């Protein structure tokens, strides 16, 4: 979708028609971000949430990286994660999975209360 929007923008910029369609493109970008569960959540918030829930040992068990296993701190872990895209993705994926599980539990509880 991003690639398509980028291509549309470049074509419109070349033709000079981009200014008339700018509100449409901005709305598309906003819609895309609304559907992104990670939008507006900082890496620090993600890591803090995971540490609060699992603790450092539990986090190290789920994601095998040294910044979680040997003398972990929030500052050193954030520094490593910001510099290492593959590790950051693993942390974000774990957070995303956890958020989905929490939402599913909430929905189940809502249906149980109605019965």
């Amino acid at each position: 979708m991003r690639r398509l929007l980028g291509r549309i923008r470049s074509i419109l910029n070349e033709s000079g028609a981009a200014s008339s369609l700018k509100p449409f493109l901005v709305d598309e970008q906003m819609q895309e971000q609304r559907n992104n569960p990670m939008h507006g959540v900082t890496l620090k918030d993600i890591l803090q949430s995971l540490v609060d829930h699992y603790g450092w040992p539990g986090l190290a068990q789920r994601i095998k990286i040294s910044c979680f296993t040997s003398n972990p701190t929030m500052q050193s872990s954030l520094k490593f994660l910001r510099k290492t895209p593959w590790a950051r993705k693993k942390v974000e994926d774990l957070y995303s999975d956890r958020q989905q599980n929490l939402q599913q539990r909430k929905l189940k509880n809502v249906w149980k209360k109605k019965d």
Side-chain angles (χ1 to χ4, degrees):
M1 181 67 154
R2 285 184 187 167
R3 208 178 276 171
L4 176 61
L5 285 174
R7 183 68 184 129
I8 292 170
R9 278 191 206 103
S10 66
I11 292 169
L12 293 174
N13 284 333
E14 290 169 4
S15 68
S19 59
S20 64
L21 292 174
K22 190 172 185 177
F24 169 74
L25 295 175
V26 171
D27 287 342
E28 286 291 320
Q29 289 174 336
M30 288 174 58
Q31 183 62 33
E32 189 175 309
Q33 288 303 326
R34 263 188 236 132
N35 295 333
N36 180 357
M38 302 296 284
H39 180 68
V41 183
T42 65
L43 182 59
K44 184 176 183 179
D45 293 340
I46 291 170
L47 186 58
Q48 187 64 56
S49 173
L50 292 173
V51 170
D52 290 346
H53 184 73
Y54 298 115
W56 289 110
L59 196 52
Q61 192 175 35
R62 285 165 179 78
I63 303 173
K64 308 253 189 277
I65 51 178
S66 62
C67 70
F68 296 156
T69 58
S70 97
N71 221 8
T73 65
M74 187 64 72
Q75 185 176 2
S76 66
S77 297
L78 286 171
K79 187 174 181 180
F80 176 78
L81 293 171
R82 287 183 179 128
K83 291 182 178 183
T84 316
W86 63 265
R88 181 180 181 140
K89 176 150 179 37
K90 287 186 176 194
V91 169
E92 289 175 347
D93 289 347
L94 179 62
Y95 177 80
S96 181
D97 290 345
R98 181 171 177 271
Q99 292 301 104
Q100 286 177 351
N101 288 339
L102 288 174
Q103 286 179 345
Q104 287 173 355
R105 282 188 205 148
K106 285 179 184 178
L107 287 174
K108 286 180 183 177
N109 288 338
V110 167
W111 285 105
K112 284 181 183 177
K113 288 179 185 177
K114 289 184 178 182
D115 292 341

